[in-house]
Amino acid sequence: MVSAISDRIVTGVMRPGEKLDEVSLAERYKVSRTPVREALSRLGAMGLVDRRPNRGAIVAIVSPAHLASMFESMAELEAICARFCAQRMTQKERRAMEIEHQAASQLVARREEAAYELFNSDFHARLYSGAHSPHIRDLALQTRSRLAPFRRAQFRLDGRLQKSWREHDLIVAAILAGDGEAACAAARDHMTIVSEASAVFAHDEGGEA
């Protein structure tokens, strides 16, 4: 439910300032109000929902500046993870990343967007765990959680699947070569491009996309 509601918010189906009625949402998703309340709480933690006195829950405004700031932090965290992966990943971890990455090319060829989204999430999780730095992994996961709806939305843009895979390819090649600086640069460049793609789904203070 969190993914379903967040996707509607990010893509503008639910507009900034729009009231999120628990009863209506429960009817839409055929659940009780308890899971709706929990979903709205999680969306609040992600910055997509505001809870205001006497107004209940409403769709928050995610400004381009705020979104860019979060992606800037994400880019640096992923760059660090990629550099550490090049230096610290075991051979087993490198081989698993390479196999999965090559398999993902078939998803791109078949334009299987939903399946590629799952792969994309797993690919970045491998970067975080392969860095072998628990604290940085936790920071990366926390930041990614807040950006998840926007990172999913990027794949709605024409040609984004193919470009994403090619950007991953540069990261993987650098990690397999043990080139920390190249991996760092490739990961930072990748997140910068993701940020630019996702900016399409941010809103200005007036609520316009």
Side-chain angles (χ1 to χ4, degrees), residues 8-44:
R8 288 171 67 83
I9 291 174
V10 167
T11 56
V13 176
M14 293 178 171
R15 305 296 296 167
E18 181 178 335
K19 185 175 181 180
L20 296 168
D21 180 67
E22 292 181 5
V23 175
S24 298
L25 289 171
E27 291 175 353
R28 169 183 285 276
Y29 295 106
K30 296 180 172 56
V31 296
S32 69
R33 291 178 65 178
T34 298
V36 171
R37 196 173 296 117
E38 292 173 349
L40 292 179
S41 178
R42 289 180 59 188
L43 290 167

Side-chain angles (χ1 to χ4, degrees), residues 52-112:
R52 299 180 180 179
N54 304 319
R55 292 187 64 184
I58 63 171
V59 177
I61 294 174
V62 181
S63 70
H66 181 62
L67 187 62
S69 177
M70 286 195 291
F71 267 111
E72 183 178 57
S73 299
M74 189 81 261
E76 293 307 312
L77 286 168
E78 296 221 359
I80 293 170
C81 286
R83 177 158 56 84
F84 283 170
C85 282
Q87 298 168 348
R88 302 175 179 179
M89 258 188 168
T90 66
Q91 286 302 316
K92 183 178 179 180
E93 289 172 325
R94 293 170 197 264
R95 182 57 178 158
M97 172 176 274
E98 181 181 23
I99 290 172
E100 188 174 75
H101 171 62
Q102 293 303 328
S105 66
Q106 298 305 309
L107 302 178
V108 174
R110 295 193 296 267
R111 298 184 179 180
E112 295 184 17

Side-chain angles (χ1 to χ4, degrees), residues 150 153-155 157 160 191-201:
F150 294 96
Q154 66 171 308
F155 296 119
L157 302 178
R160 184 63 200 135
M191 286 310 306
T192 299
I193 294 169
V194 173
S195 175
E196 292 169 352
S198 301
V200 173
F201 302 99

